[in-house]
Amino acid sequence: METPSRPEPSSRADADSGTESSTPWDDGLIARRVNESAAAEQPAVVETRTSGRQVVMPLAYDGPLRSRLDALRELVGLSRTRLDSKTLAEAGRVLDEAAARRRLSGQHTVVAIAGATGSGKSQLFNALAGVTISETGVRRPTTASPLVCSWSDGAVGLIDRLGIPPRLRRRPAQSAAADGQLRGLVLVDLPDHDSAAVAHREQVDRVLALVDAVIWVVDPEKYADAILHERYLRPMAGHAEIMFVVLNQTDRLPGEATDQVLDDLRRLLDEDGIALGEHGEPGATVLALSALTGDGVGDLREALGQFVAARGAAARRISADVEAAGWRLRPVYAARRRTGLSEEARDEFSARLADAIGATAAGEAAERAWLRNANRACGTPWLRLWRWYQDRGEAPTGRLSLRTQTDEESTARQRVEQAVRTVAEQASAGLPGPWAQAVREAAVRGAQGLPEALDELAARAGLPPGRPPRPGWWPGAVLVQAAMTILQIVGGLWLVGQIVGVMAPNLGVPVLLMVAGIVGGPLVEWGCRIAARGPARRYGLEAERRLREAAAGCGRARVLDPVAAELLRYREVREQYGRVMGVGGPVR
């Protein structure tokens, strides 16, 4: 509970900067201390809002961090139409907090002291400040709201960002502020993270997301508490460089027990995935101390002073937040394997569409039509007359009608749908769920109306009406065939003239002429048929090629291009994700 106390005059803030209020007041949160006389000698000073304008140097991010933030911003922008807002919420929060922190002081480092009930974090807070600020006692929970202590001016914006009201803002003892060791430190005492009050835990989570660094205070009894490790330390393993883990209350441990507990604590942190900053390596700082006796507090103050003087905690915190947000997004950006459509898959899709519209059958029909017309042109007149009699009821187009039957149309439509499904599965294979769904949807949209479009293109690209074109040697073949016919007619008339007595008997010549015409006609027809196979084959292949190209162009425009656009969009976001994660190329 808060108890009112009388105001205490102080001119230290005015002496420091000339911008602090000259009438600080006590809000009643100064509670019992172990050493009451020390509390009376060094009173706490309440920090109030300044009336003058302070010059604050904003935080500056280095090039790599700016590049990662820009990449994350681009990544979120490109993904809004493919991912739900809940998936992108954490990335958006990191961007907002990074922008907000950048506008505030870069000369201050905000450090929160967090711990479980009874860990002694408020005692440690008071020991660092050199004065009783945070209430300590047997009653739990003691700290109900975050309390802040600033070692220098210019941190008002940072404290406002934490949402801590002026009545809960303090300044350290005059001796602690004068030594300059912790100049630039903004220390926050948090409520217990395992408090039975839900509001207390919510405040802890809120402030921990905003501070630049955190000091975790544990005690010999609860340093292995599952709530601490599973809810806080393990999820924040990537933030090891901005973490201090302090084993407090070592005065309660006998002999070498402190080293044993400290070793076990390091083991647990290692199992949590937290790198330990030992032997000059980056990582969490692990210390043992007693806030009650002051043993080890100087080591923490020295380490904290070096940490604050480096002015790098805020940027490292943002970088770790970006890294954590990137790992959360990994399932929706990192592919399980190489993605995209291979040339074989594209060719297979085009071949399926060509088969659906009967490109092969149309080519074979064109080849047969060309041979049939060659036979008609170069055949014997008598055989041509007989064929004319048989074909007099057929239209002389020489072109095969494609899919005129209903069942053929249904089969063709099914083939087109199957081809689209196959290429969609091939294109989306290995993609993360949202992007695979986008690829499939693009393919389905393109498949709408595709069979009808293929029919129309096939009609335009198919064989022209009428007879196929004739090669240049056909007139010569026709003349030769006509000569063979004339020989037969001349020989026959000659024999008839001999029979009727008009001409002198001479069987040899007319018979020879007739035999030459009768044998030569079929030979000419057979020779023309052999000669026509090559042109007929080329004619059929050309017809098939036109249909295949038409089918491929239609399929490419309606299905493959939209699918490729989705794949390209995925490659773009994957490259941005690679930049977010700090790698040179796209993440596989």
Side-chain angles (χ1 to χ4, degrees), residues 33 88 284 290 292 336 353 376 402 446 483 497 536 542 559 562:
R33 289 199 63 185
L88 298 173
S290 173
L292 180 63
R336 297 187 299 272
L353 294 185
R376 288 173 176 173
L402 302 179
E542 178 64 19
V559 177

Side-chain angles (χ1 to χ4, degrees), residues 166-180:
R167 65 185 181 84
L168 299 178
R169 304 178 185 185
R170 302 288 186 271
R171 299 300 294 268
Q174 293 186 14
S175 60
D179 62 12

Side-chain angles (χ1 to χ4, degrees), residues 128-312:
L128 291 173
V131 63
T132 299
I133 295 178
S134 185
E135 179 184 1
T136 63
V138 178
R139 180 177 57 84
R140 300 287 184 257
T142 300
T143 304
S145 300
L147 193 67
V148 65
C149 181
S150 176
W151 266 254
S152 58
D153 301 327
V156 175
L158 289 171
I159 301 174
D160 289 343
R161 179 170 174 252
L162 299 178
I164 300 177
R167 65 185 181 84
L168 299 178
R169 304 178 185 185
R170 302 288 186 271
R171 299 300 294 268
Q174 293 186 14
S175 60
D179 62 12
Q181 186 179 25
L182 298 180
R183 183 171 182 81
L185 174 65
V186 179
L187 194 63
V188 183
D189 185 20
L190 295 178
D192 302 330
H193 68 73
D194 60 348
S195 172
V198 177
H200 294 184
R201 299 197 302 269
E202 291 177 348
Q203 289 198 66
V204 171
D205 295 340
R206 179 183 62 83
V207 176
L208 283 179
L210 300 176
V211 298
D212 301 328
V214 58
I215 300 175
W216 292 103
V217 181
V218 298
D219 62 81
E221 293 180 355
K222 300 172 67 175
Y223 70 91
D225 184 48
I227 295 179
L228 171 65
H229 288 270
E230 294 178 4
R231 185 176 179 182
Y232 293 102
L233 294 181
R234 197 167 299 163
M236 293 184 66
H239 296 69
E241 294 187 34
I242 59 165
M243 288 170 54
F244 292 79
V245 182
V246 175
L247 176 63
N248 192 17
Q249 302 177 7
T250 56
D251 56 287
R252 298 168 51 192
L253 296 174
E256 299 179 354
T258 298
D259 293 336
Q260 295 176 359
V261 174
L262 206 59
D263 290 341
D264 194 45
L265 175 59
R266 290 192 179 97
R267 178 187 61 81
L268 293 174
L269 294 176
D270 184 67
E271 292 178 357
D272 291 334
I274 298 176
L276 302 181
E278 299 176 345
H279 311 294
E281 297 178 356
T285 301
V286 182
L287 296 172
L289 54 81
S290 173
L292 180 63
T293 65
D295 184 24
V297 175
D299 295 337
L300 175 61
R301 182 179 287 108
E302 181 180 357
L304 197 57
Q306 295 175 357
F307 182 79
V308 172
R311 302 288 190 263

Side-chain angles (χ1 to χ4, degrees), residues 493-509:
L493 292 176
W494 197 334
L495 289 176
V496 171
Q498 291 181 11
I499 292 173
V500 297
V502 177
M503 301 181 66
N506 185 2
L507 295 177
V509 176

Side-chain angles (χ1 to χ4, degrees), residues 59-62 65 101 212 311-320:
L59 179 64
Y61 296 146
D62 58 12
L65 180 54
R101 183 64 181 90
D212 301 328
R311 302 288 190 263
R316 287 201 296 270
R317 170 61 195 262
I318 296 300
S319 180

Side-chain angles (χ1 to χ4, degrees), residues 56-120:
V56 177
M57 296 296 293
L59 179 64
Y61 296 146
D62 58 12
L65 180 54
R66 287 200 306 271
S67 177
R68 295 181 69 185
L69 289 171
D70 292 342
L72 183 59
R73 189 175 297 105
E74 185 71 14
L75 182 68
V76 171
L78 290 172
S79 304
R80 291 194 185 279
T81 59
R82 297 294 177 267
L83 304 178
D84 57 85
S85 57
K86 184 178 180 180
T87 303
L88 298 173
E90 178 61 17
R93 186 197 68 81
V94 171
L95 289 172
D96 293 341
E97 297 301 337
R101 183 64 181 90
R102 187 177 185 178
R103 291 191 293 267
L104 300 175
S105 173
Q107 306 302 312
H108 292 80
T109 302
V110 183
V111 181
I113 297 183
T117 303
S119 61

Side-chain angles (χ1 to χ4, degrees), residues 398-435:
R399 182 170 177 267
L400 182 64
S401 178
L402 302 179
R403 293 183 289 115
T404 57
Q405 301 298 326
T406 305
D407 56 344
E408 293 179 355
E409 294 178 357
S410 177
T411 302
R413 181 177 294 274
Q414 293 175 1
R415 289 180 177 178
V416 171
E417 294 174 353
Q418 179 62 32
V420 172
R421 284 196 298 270
T422 300
V423 77
E425 291 300 325
Q426 291 174 336
S428 61
L431 289 175
W435 305 100

